Structures are given as structure tokens and as C-alpha cells.
Amino acid sequence: MDAKQLYEMLKKVQEPKGYYFNKDMDMTMPLLESLLTNKERFGYMACPCRLANGEYEADKDILCPCVYREADVQEYGACFCALYVSKEFNDGTIEKQVVPERRPPEKILF
């Protein structure tokens, strides 16, 4: 599977839920490629914007889409990576902000 195939597959599943890929394809496609790299490396698609532990149980919260995505998109219009965004984010009708890290520090430091 390549990034384009992953894009098409996930788009069909995520858009009906209200989550869209960032329309900036210069950003979106490398993030999808990084997800595929993490799948090869770890056996699962860990968030490409966070440091994965390499242990599935420890990284479950950052499997893309991560458990923080819903709150991030609801509050900021984008997830931490800005891979997944709201329709309003892509339409430019909301202000784009830096999304702070919601992952607890004890899960980041290992």
C-alpha cells in the first residue's frame, strides 16, 4: 500500500464521521507516508508527529487516528499533526491555531 491508496481508503471512512484530510497535500501525503513507515517499523500506524515507544499497549493512545483527535478537532479544527481537520479548517472559515499536546507527560517520557 502506498500513501495515495491509504489516503483514498481512509477518506471514505473518516469523512462521513466529519474528519477530513488537510487539503495541504504537501503536508498530508508525507504524514500518510510516515504512518506507513511506522506500520512497517512497529506493526501499527503510530502518530507520525509523536515519539512512539514501540510497544503496542504503551502506544495505543497514539494509534492514528489517536484518542486525542476528536477533542483537538472539536476545539482547534485540527488534530495535533493537522492531518485530520474539520471542514471549516479546510474551508478557511476558522482561525488556524497551534494544537497543544494533550498526551500526558508520563506517556511521552519512557
Side-chain angles (χ1 to χ4, degrees):
M1 177 179 290
D2 63 21
K4 181 68 176 163
Q5 291 169 319
L6 182 61
Y7 175 89
E8 294 299 332
M9 183 180 78
L10 293 176
K11 182 178 177 182
K12 290 177 188 170
V13 174
Q14 299 302 323
E15 283 192 359
K17 298 177 184 176
Y19 298 103
Y20 299 84
F21 283 120
N22 193 320
K23 70 179 183 182
D24 181 353
M25 298 309 273
D26 289 338
M27 190 175 106
T28 296
M29 294 314 283
L31 286 170
L32 291 171
E33 289 168 9
S34 296
L35 281 174
L36 292 170
T37 298
N38 281 346
K39 182 162 174 75
E40 285 180 28
R41 182 180 298 146
F42 303 121
Y44 48 88
M45 291 194 293
C47 173
C49 299
R50 295 181 168 106
L51 187 58
N53 184 321
E55 296 175 18
Y56 180 81
E57 285 300 318
D59 291 338
K60 275 175 48 174
D61 64 319
I62 60 168
L63 300 183
C64 189
C66 72
V67 300
Y68 313 105
R69 178 187 71 168
E70 183 176 343
D72 286 346
V73 172
Q74 185 173 19
E75 186 171 352
Y76 299 102
C79 71
F80 184 69
C81 296
L83 175 62
Y84 286 107
V85 301
S86 66
K87 184 176 183 316
E88 294 78 15
F89 184 96
N90 269 345
D91 290 345
T93 58
I94 62 170
E95 181 183 348
K96 295 180 180 170
Q97 305 174 53
V98 173
V99 178
E101 175 63 276
R102 290 183 191 266
R103 195 174 197 209
E106 63 272 13
K107 289 196 159 238
I108 297 170
L109 305 172
F110 42 82

